[in-house]
């Protein structure tokens, strides 16, 4: 087993101070999930993206999108950065904009947690919660962000879903970090996708670096069409149902996902019941306070380990912590409203501390 697992308390840092918020993005630990690894007979590892300075994996995309615009001369001093986001990319952009002197404007579905909306405003972003409608509706939050930028002088729409600078940020950072941390011993990489940036960027790097030996899998929440697209050979079946997870799942193939979707090894859907049970189990057995998308990713890693067999090494992404969702995820009333209270084992019910 490689050194990152033998010395779990050791974390390498850069040898010199970094410059501002943006210099601290990336270089996150890879955490050995002991209980699940012993249970499966595989090595299951989670990339601790909640340790980015803005608290999520989306810090990488936010920085990549802004830096790409700067390099292309599209973003000038004092400019305006506009995005449509379910939350974490907006939080990352708000941090990056404060650090680099830009105004930040965020459009988001009004279904997102209040914690995210409050945090965005605390970070100085202008937030416009709008009705959650389908992508083909002109009032979709992404289209409203695009139109706002078009009508505002000295502004850019970062277009996180279809601007492939997102995936490239993960190709240049996340993938290489995972390869180095596993010493090139990674049999499978799996995660859910919203924009597609993490899966496509990190997956493409690992796929290429391993000479196609590393399998790259997509994990989907209920209500998303991506599993059906991959397993059917490219058919977009109408989506049905919904999920408690925020910011993941899709009804289309984004440009970011499109850079790699045809090289995926496979895809499967993780029910909300498995995600919420894993969220509580990670808190109880690993001391990890994770959001629902992270829990879905861990559940997917366990499933992929079963597919690859004992002795395999599987890596997934711990996208963010539960702090931005705690009023829902640890509320008995909310869990019951979603029919999920029974999915949490009796011995873990003690963590449901909110009414």
């Amino acid at each position: 087993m490689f050194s990152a697992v033998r010395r779990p308390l050791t974390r390498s840092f850069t040898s010199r101070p970094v410059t501002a918020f943006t210099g601290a993005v990336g270089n996150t630990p890879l955490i050995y999930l002991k209980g699940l690894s012993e249970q499966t007979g595989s090595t299951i590892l989670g990339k601790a993206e909640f340790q980015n300075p803005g608290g999520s994996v989306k810090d990488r995309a936010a920085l990549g999108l802004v830096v790409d615009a700067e390099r292309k001369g599209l973003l000038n001093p004092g400019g305006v950065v506009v995005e449509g986001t379910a939350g974490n990319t907006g939080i990352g952009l708000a941090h990056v904009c404060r650090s680099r002197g830009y105004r930040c404007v965020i459009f988001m579905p009004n279904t997102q947690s209040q914690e995210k909306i409050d945090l965005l405003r605390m970070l100085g972003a202008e937030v416009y919660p709008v009705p959650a409608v389908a992508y083909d509706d002109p009032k979709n939050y992404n289209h409203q962000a695009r139109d706002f930028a078009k009508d505002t002088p000295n502004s850019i729409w970062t277009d996180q879903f279809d601007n492939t600078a997102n995936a490239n940020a993960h190709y240049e950072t996340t993938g290489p970090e995972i390869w180095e941390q596993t010493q090139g011993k990674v049999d499978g990489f799996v995660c859910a996708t919203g924009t597609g940036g993490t899966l496509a960027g990190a997956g493409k790097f690992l796929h290429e670096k391993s000479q196609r030996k590393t399998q790259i899998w997509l994990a989907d929440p209920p209500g998303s069409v991506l599993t059906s697209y991959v397993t059917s050979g490219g058919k977009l079946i109408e989506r049905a149902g919904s999920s408690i997870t925020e910011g993941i799942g899709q009804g289309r193939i984004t440009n970011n996902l499109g850079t790699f979707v045809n090289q995926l090894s496979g895809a499967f859907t993780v029910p909300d019941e498995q995600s919420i049970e894993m969220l509580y189990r990670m808190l109880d057995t690993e001391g990890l306070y994770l959001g629902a998308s992270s829990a879905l990713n861990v559940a997917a890693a366990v499933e992929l380990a079963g597919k690859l067999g004992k002795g395999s090494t599987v890596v997934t992404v711990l996208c963010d912590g539960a702090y931005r969702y705690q009023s829902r995820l640890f509320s008995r009333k909310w869990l019951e409203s979603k029919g999920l209270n029974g999915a949490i084992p009796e011995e873990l019910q003690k963590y449901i501390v909110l009414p």
Side-chain angles (χ1 to χ4, degrees):
M1 196 173 293
F2 47 87
S3 59
V5 174
R6 290 200 303 267
R7 295 181 284 109
L9 297 181
T10 299
R11 179 182 178 188
S12 61
F13 292 89
T14 54
S15 59
R16 298 179 181 178
V18 297
T19 302
F21 172 94
T22 56
V25 175
N27 190 36
T28 58
L30 198 59
I31 298 178
Y32 174 62
L33 302 180
K34 183 175 182 291
L36 295 177
S37 296
E38 293 176 348
Q39 171 190 318
T40 60
S42 299
T43 297
I44 298 181
L45 305 164
K47 188 75 164 134
E49 291 299 283
F50 56 82
Q51 289 200 6
N52 278 305
S56 87
V57 64
K58 294 297 187 178
D59 287 0
R60 295 183 190 258
L63 180 58
L65 291 165
V66 170
V67 168
D68 181 69
E70 290 174 340
R71 288 172 178 168
K72 292 177 178 176
L74 302 175
L75 188 57
N76 301 307
V80 184
V81 173
V82 187
E83 184 54 274
T85 169
N88 278 335
T89 301
I91 291 168
L93 283 171
H95 277 290
V96 171
C97 286
R98 291 271 50 78
S99 177
R100 296 172 97 87
Y102 302 121
R103 175 185 164 200
C104 184
V105 177
I106 301 297
F107 286 80
M108 67 190 307
N110 58 10
T111 54
Q112 300 307 296
S113 66
Q114 190 61 43
E115 287 97 335
K116 283 185 179 179
I117 296 172
D118 292 342
L119 178 56
L120 281 166
R121 288 174 173 156
M122 289 174 193
L123 292 171
E126 299 173 34
V127 185
Y128 297 95
V130 299
V133 295
Y135 183 79
D136 57 5
D137 189 312
K139 294 297 183 182
N140 178 273
Y141 64 102
N142 291 292
H143 304 325
Q144 293 202 49
R146 176 200 62 202
D147 294 343
F148 183 94
K150 188 184 301 182
D151 296 336
T152 304
N154 194 22
S155 68
I156 62 160
W157 172 43
T158 45
D159 189 15
Q160 61 164 328
F161 290 89
D162 292 316
N163 182 346
T164 56
N166 176 349
N168 191 57
H170 291 283
Y171 182 85
E172 292 182 346
T173 66
T174 315
E177 288 175 26
I178 291 172
W179 186 260
E180 181 180 356
Q181 289 167 319
T182 60
Q183 299 177 12
K185 299 173 183 177
V186 52
D187 300 297
F189 175 74
V190 61
C191 68
T193 180
T195 66
T198 306
L199 181 67
K204 182 179 180 181
F205 179 89
L206 294 171
H207 193 62
E208 292 177 353
K209 192 71 174 178
S210 68
Q211 297 182 326
R212 298 182 175 84
K213 293 178 181 177
T214 300
Q215 292 194 23
I216 312 298
W217 286 69
L218 184 152
D220 232 8
S224 175
V225 305
L226 300 180
T227 292
S228 63
Y229 180 89
V230 174
T231 57
S232 70
K235 296 179 182 178
L236 278 174
I237 301 172
E238 186 175 352
R239 64 198 302 174
S242 61
S243 173
I244 63 167
T245 56
E246 297 184 14
I248 57 174
Q250 264 295 345
R252 66 186 182 96
I253 303 301
T254 65
N255 286 354
N256 280 291
L257 183 58
T259 64
F260 189 71
V261 67
N262 293 329
Q263 283 77 54
L264 287 171
S265 303
F268 50 83
T269 297
V270 178
D272 281 349
E273 290 80 3
Q274 287 185 26
S275 296
I276 197 70
E277 190 273 341
M278 186 61 76
L279 186 150
Y280 277 73
R281 191 163 299 285
M282 286 296 93
L283 176 59
D284 187 63
T285 63
E286 304 286 348
L288 292 172
Y289 191 57
L290 302 174
S293 59
S294 300
L296 183 152
N297 284 348
V298 174
V302 172
E303 185 166 343
L304 182 55
K307 294 178 183 295
L308 298 181
K310 292 185 177 181
S312 59
T313 296
V314 177
V315 178
T316 192
V317 180
L318 308 181
C319 314
D320 64 4
Y323 302 99
R324 293 167 185 168
Y325 323 93
Q326 59 191 13
S327 64
R328 298 182 181 187
L329 297 175
F330 295 91
S331 163
R332 190 171 298 279
K333 181 178 179 180
W334 185 84
L335 290 166
E336 289 175 349
S337 74
K338 300 297 181 181
L340 293 173
N341 191 60
I344 302 170
E346 184 63 33
E347 69 272 17
L348 302 181
Q349 294 263 333
K350 61 186 177 182
Y351 296 112
I352 308 175
V353 298
L354 300 176

